[in-house]
Structures are given as structure tokens and as C-alpha cells.
Amino acid sequence: MRLKISAPQLFATVSLLLILGVAVSIGITQSSFYKNAIIERDARTVQDLVQALVTGRQSEGQLSVTDLEEYDTDRAQARLDQSFRGLTNVMGRARIKVFNRDGTIAWSDEPRLIGSPATRHTQDLARALRGEVRAILFDPEGAPKNPLDVFPASPLIEFYVPFSLAGGEPPGATSGALALYRSSDDLTDTIAKGQNLLWAMEGVGGLILFAALYGLFRRVYYGKRKAESQFARLSAEHTRLMQLERLSAMGQMVSEVAHQLNNPLVGVINLTELAQRELHNPERMKELLAEVRKAGADCRRFVQSMLVLNKVARAEPQLIDMARLVHDTIAFFQQSLGGEPRITMEATQGPVMVEVDPVLIRNALFNLIHNAAQADPAGHVTVTLVLEECAGVPRCSISVSDCGPGLALEVQNRLFTPFFTTRAGGTGLGLSIAKHIAVLHSGSIRAENKREGGARFVISLPLHA
């Protein structure tokens, strides 16, 4: 069975491991730095003590470079003993050795070591004689045994500090080095306490960082989950509302279709009943059958309009010259109506290339021109084609203006509603189809009243689909 891990649990595990790794690496680095800093501090303290001691003795004329070089004389030993004997009071002291520049022990609290090069760390001594301060932690238990140089069994720290005496060559050069061996118990205890404090601070800091990051992640994660849940719920609600709206629109359309077909069908039924009673009157029969034919023609025209509305949902755009399409549509309309009313076309010079479905655009434009002609049959219709830019997008606008009575406010609000019409015998689908065609081409259509009278319908289309 696969173990499922949630995103917060995965984040907690990964972040905790990362913080632990960083805290451990920083803790190791800081612990090492702290240990070295404490040891170096003690070494500098010993150096300052030794330098102050020899400087004071030299200023009193009680110590010189010669005493280090001629250490085997009684006078030199007496002066060296008086100079360095005070260091034997250092807490935890285990051994003191004073080396001259040759690396030979000129004085020690263990007289048997005087005159020998006895030291376990010759390289550190050499570096001290070159002016460096050295400090070494070591355990005498594991060191080679020297019967003349016996140490206690506890761990020690060994300081090698240089000192200078006036009169040396060259001036200011290191005159010798002092090695001080002392118990490291106090020092290691101080280091351990400091390191424990550092680790505790690292741990507390890491936990605070983890808690802050995890808390932030939880807020962001569950906030996102909540937002996604709300968005999904809103999407579902929106989808449901859209479905209800579609069903409502479909129901309204079915109702309108039924109404539009019912009226002529009722007339057909009534006319046929009348025709049955007038079988003996052929002339009356002809009149009634003519009315039946007219009602059937109305039904056919309505069904054809519905079929056109269905075809609007499918467009096959191609690059065409819109100026030519408008010109051809006007010419076709005038031929179909015998040249009335008078139609004027105003367009920019040259071709206007637009990516549209020419059949659908011609249908929409024909409907607008037809409506304008019916608004004022004896008037004048103007079709204008212009190029403009809207929100940085180049567009082509086709406006159809008439000189009729204009549009009432209550009519403007319902102009593009399917089946809405103010004209007797109209289907109410022409403007609705025109709007669908415009929207299908990512365009728009609007209706407005002109200041000088009449109405204007404007189709705005982007130059490229």
C-alpha cells in the first residue's frame, strides 16, 4: 500500500531536513571558530603577560639577551629565575620552558631540562621563534615518554609565545619563546559551555525558522486550496446558471417559434373550414386558397430565417476587400428592389482588406440596408465604410444610416432580441442574426439616433480574425 503524504507534510519534512542540515553545518563552523577564538584569546593573554614581565625586568636592568645566550652561567640562571619564577603561580601550570633563539631551553621550572631542546612540538616552537603565537591541545597519555619531562595524566594546553628584549639584532626581533603548559580542564569546560550555548541557539533559531516557514506555507497552501474550492464552486454555479440561461433562452425561443408558426397555422385551419362550406362557390374557393397559400409562404419564410440563424454559428473567414463587398451588396439590394430607395456609399480610397466570412457579412449588411429602406421608403440611405483604431486594435466600421423617425428608447433596449419586431409581418430575426454575425467575427454592432434625425446602425470588425 502506497503511503500518501500531503503537501504540508512533505514541505515540513523537506524544510526540517534542510534547516537541520544548515543548522548543523553552521553549528560545526561556529563551534570550531569559537574554540579557536577562546584558545587564541588565552594565548594572547599569556603573551601579554610574558612580554610585560620581561619588559619590566629589562627596564630594571635585571634581564638581557645575553642572559638567554649565556644561560649556563650562574648569573644568567639567577636573573632568568627571578624573571620567570612568578609564572609558576599560574593556575593549572604544569611546566614552563624558556627557549633562546637556538631552540635550546635556557630556563625551566624543571632544572634538569635546561640546556636541552626538549619539546614535543618543534614546528610550533620554530614558528613562535619567528614571531607567531601558538597554542596546542594535547593529551600526555598518548605522547612519547620523556623521563626528564614528566606531565600529569590530564589533558594539557601548550602555549608557545614569543618575546623581545632590547639589544637584540635586528632591533625588535624575537629574542626567545616561552612554552607554558597548563591544565586544559578550565579552558575545555569554558569551550564546552560556549559550544553548548551556540548549539542551543542554533536549535532554537532553527525551530523558530521552521515554525515561521511552516506556518506561512500552511496559510498560503490552505488559502490557495480555499480559493480553488471557491473558484470551483463558482465555476460550477456559473455553469449551472449558464445551463439554466440556455434552457430559458431555448424555452423562450421555442415559445416564440410556436407563436410565430401557430398564428398562420390557425389561419390555415380556419380558412380550410371556410373553404369546405364554400364548395359551391368556385370564386370564393380561389380567394380562400390564395389566403392559405399566403399563410404557408409566411411559414416557409419564417423557417428559412431560422435556418439562416442556425448557419450563423459556422463561419469560414477569408481575406477580402470590404469596400468591394459593400459595393456589391448595395448593387444587389438595388437590383432586387428596382433602384429604390436611393443608396449612397462613402468609403476610404483603396481596398480595405478584412478577414471575414463574406457570405455572413453580406447577409448582415443586407438586413441593415433592408431595415433602413423600410424605415423611410422614399428617403435616402447612406452606407459608410471607415478605418479606425480602438484600444490599439485596427478596425473596420460599416455604418448604415436612414432618414426615418429614429428609434424609441424602449425599442433600443430590445432591438437585438430574437423575434422582437415593430413591423407587421416581420420575424424579428434580422437584427438578431446581424448581431450574431458581428460577435462571431469578434466584432460588435450598435444602434443610435442621429442628431439630424433618423437612425444609424454600426458594425465594427477587427481587420484580422
Side-chain angles (χ1 to χ4, degrees):
M1 183 177 64
R2 296 181 61 183
L3 181 63
K4 291 185 177 181
I5 301 178
S6 64
Q9 290 175 332
L10 180 61
F11 177 82
T13 302
V14 174
S15 60
L16 189 59
L17 290 176
L18 288 176
I19 292 174
L20 181 61
V22 172
V24 168
S25 61
I26 293 177
I28 293 174
T29 303
Q30 288 185 337
S31 295
S32 177
F33 177 81
Y34 177 77
K35 175 182 176 181
N36 294 333
I38 293 297
I39 293 175
E40 183 178 357
R41 183 202 64 183
D42 275 22
R44 292 295 179 184
T45 302
V46 172
Q47 182 189 28
D48 293 342
L49 177 62
V50 171
Q51 188 61 50
L53 191 63
V54 298
T55 301
R57 293 293 296 176
Q58 186 178 33
S59 64
E60 296 172 359
Q62 301 298 319
L63 186 64
S64 66
V65 176
T66 304
D67 294 327
L68 293 175
E69 296 173 350
E70 300 176 357
Y71 62 86
D72 53 350
T73 63
D74 292 340
R75 180 177 179 275
Q77 281 298 310
R79 290 160 64 95
L80 290 170
D81 188 73
Q82 290 176 359
S83 299
F84 296 105
R85 177 62 63 178
L87 294 176
T88 58
N89 297 323
V90 173
M91 183 179 298
R93 184 268 312 167
R95 180 74 68 240
I96 301 174
K97 301 176 185 177
V98 178
F99 296 86
N100 60 19
R101 284 183 294 186
D102 297 332
T104 303
I105 297 176
W107 181 86
S108 176
D109 59 347
E110 174 52 64
R112 292 180 299 173
L113 297 176
I114 297 174
S116 68
T119 180
R120 292 176 174 81
H121 305 99
T122 56
Q123 293 183 355
D124 293 289
L125 172 61
R127 294 175 68 173
L129 291 173
R130 291 196 295 268
E132 296 183 33
V133 178
R134 304 294 296 167
I136 308 97
L137 284 169
F138 78 101
D139 189 352
E141 286 293 325
K145 303 300 181 183
N146 184 346
L148 299 179
D149 199 10
V150 181
F151 294 99
S154 61
L156 301 175
I157 182 168
E158 184 176 359
F159 298 103
Y160 286 92
V161 295
F163 60 86
S164 300
L165 294 171
E169 293 296 335
T174 300
S175 302
L178 182 140
L180 174 63
Y181 300 77
R182 55 177 292 234
S183 172
S184 63
D185 291 343
D186 293 341
L187 183 64
T188 53
D189 185 58
T190 300
I191 292 173
K193 290 180 179 179
Q195 288 178 335
N196 290 338
L197 181 61
L198 283 175
W199 281 109
M201 292 175 63
E202 289 288 339
V204 172
L207 289 175
I208 293 175
L209 178 61
F210 170 74
L213 289 176
Y214 184 66
L216 178 62
F217 178 83
R218 280 179 59 88
R219 285 196 296 271
V220 172
Y221 176 77
Y222 287 110
K224 179 183 177 184
R225 290 286 298 274
K226 183 178 180 181
E228 289 176 348
S229 177
Q230 291 177 345
F231 179 77
R233 188 165 58 252
L234 289 175
S235 297
E237 187 67 19
H238 177 72
T239 301
R240 189 178 69 85
L241 290 176
M242 289 293 292
Q243 291 175 345
L244 291 175
E245 185 177 352
R246 290 193 189 100
L247 291 174
S248 176
M250 185 180 297
Q252 183 180 359
M253 179 175 288
V254 169
S255 176
E256 292 289 346
V257 169
H259 176 72
Q260 293 290 338
L261 291 177
N262 184 65
N263 289 337
L265 289 177
V266 169
V268 168
I269 294 172
N270 292 335
L271 289 171
T272 54
E273 289 178 351
L274 286 174
Q276 287 177 346
R277 298 194 201 96
E278 301 291 339
L279 293 175
H280 60 281
N281 190 348
E283 293 298 325
R284 180 59 176 164
M285 281 283 294
K286 287 182 181 180
E287 293 176 2
L288 294 173
L289 290 176
E291 292 295 329
V292 170
R293 181 178 180 181
K294 182 180 177 182
D298 289 342
C299 289
R300 183 180 65 179
R301 183 163 53 86
F302 179 77
V303 172
Q304 288 175 342
S305 298
M306 293 297 298
L307 292 175
V308 171
L309 183 62
N310 181 59
K311 289 175 61 178
V312 170
R314 299 183 298 275
E316 298 178 359
Q318 54 184 282
L319 195 62
I320 65 164
D321 181 3
M322 183 60 74
R324 184 174 183 83
L325 184 143
V326 173
H327 179 272
D328 292 346
T329 304
I330 294 174
F332 176 74
F333 182 83
Q334 288 180 320
Q335 290 173 3
S336 64
L337 295 184
E340 293 295 336
R342 186 166 59 92
I343 302 176
T344 303
M345 176 179 174
E346 298 176 359
T348 57
Q349 295 294 327
V352 180
M353 306 307 294
V354 187
E355 193 172 355
V356 295
D357 186 320
V359 176
L360 296 182
I361 295 298
R362 186 180 293 111
N363 182 288
L365 182 57
F366 190 94
N367 278 333
L368 294 183
I369 296 174
H370 185 260
N371 286 347
Q374 288 186 329
D376 185 13
H380 176 221
V381 176
T382 303
V383 180
T384 305
L385 175 64
V386 296
L387 291 176
E388 58 186 7
E389 188 170 304
C390 181
V393 178
R395 305 180 77 85
C396 164
S397 290
I398 311 167
S399 64
V400 179
S401 305
D402 61 56
C403 299
L407 303 169
L409 181 60
E410 61 273 12
V411 172
Q412 290 187 41
N413 296 331
R414 301 183 61 191
L415 270 177
F416 302 102
T417 303
F419 307 110
F420 173 76
T421 181
T422 59
R423 191 174 69 250
T427 62
L429 292 175
L431 290 178
S432 176
I433 291 173
K435 179 179 179 180
H436 278 289
I437 292 173
V439 172
L440 192 63
H441 289 83
S442 301
S444 62
I445 185 171
R446 68 179 187 274
E448 57 193 18
N449 286 319
K450 299 189 301 181
R451 291 182 179 179
E452 62 275 18
R456 179 188 295 114
F457 287 80
V458 182
I459 296 178
S460 178
L461 303 170
L463 293 185
H464 302 285

